[in-house]
Amino acid sequence: MNEKQYCVIDGHCDTVCELMKRGENLEQNDLCVSLLSMKKYKSYIQFFALFVNDETETPFQRVNELLRFYQNQLTQFQKEIVPVRSACDFEAVLSKGQIGAMLTLENGRSLEGNIKNLYFLYEQGARALGLTWNGANELCDGIGVEEGGGLTAFGREVVSTMNELGMIVDVSHISERGFWDVLRESKQPVMATHSNSKTICGHKRNLTDEQIRALSEKGGVMGLNLYPDFLAYDAKTVGWEDCIRHIKQIISVGGEDCIALGSDFDGFPQPMPV
């Protein structure tokens, strides 16, 4: 395959967290995402998530630590990667054959229930927010909460504010009730940045056909997740044919404009076998 033929937009990776933990840099590392790997393509835009887990006692402090590391990486390699903060930036990066970085947030717990923190992170360049992870927070419940609840009053305020700011509301990881609350609350299309088809693989992190159809009808998209556990029941034997099955199912339900890529690279132990 000649990678230089292709422009890639990947809606989710956990590379920032892994790089900071390992003390490595974005240019060259042993992870899935690096400047060297992205340079293989005609153009590459990577959504970089700042992930805060459900057990972090000081989530806003933690997200700021990750933010400083991310910003330092972009400063250090500013000749090779450019920040993406708008649709115009997207178009410019793709047309010029550049590498672009879009900052996203995974787990609304990082806001600590304070809307001012959302405004601050937006000003720092964040353009998407995954409302929750697997547990509960001040916005809503995650998919790991039994009989998970929907949006709280603060969650509705966050969704409304994100609409006003032009931020992407990310419904990956959210409870099913929360998913439907978001689709009713949001005046803009929403995105499931890294989720697959539950019809193909019944993992709780995946979306039902009904959810995929509703997401598409609202103008939203979902990014194919390469985490083996979300692709097939037997993760040990997963391969590209499993990806194709998910893609075909999502297209059959939501149409070809609904499917995207959300690799989840560096968020699971090892990449999917070829």
Side-chain angles (χ1 to χ4, degrees), residues 214-234:
L215 188 75
S216 176
E217 289 174 352
K218 198 173 181 69
V221 298
M222 58 187 292
L224 183 76
N225 192 323
L226 301 184
Y227 194 155
D229 287 352
F230 304 158
L231 287 168
Y233 291 101
D234 184 0

Side-chain angles (χ1 to χ4, degrees), residues 70-71 74 82-90 101-103 122-127 165-166:
Y70 169 83
Q71 291 173 333
L74 262 59
V82 297
V84 172
R85 298 190 177 196
S86 67
C88 290
D89 291 343
F90 263 94
M102 180 165 158
L103 178 63
Y122 174 82
E123 289 170 358
Q124 298 303 308
R127 291 298 180 265
L165 292 172

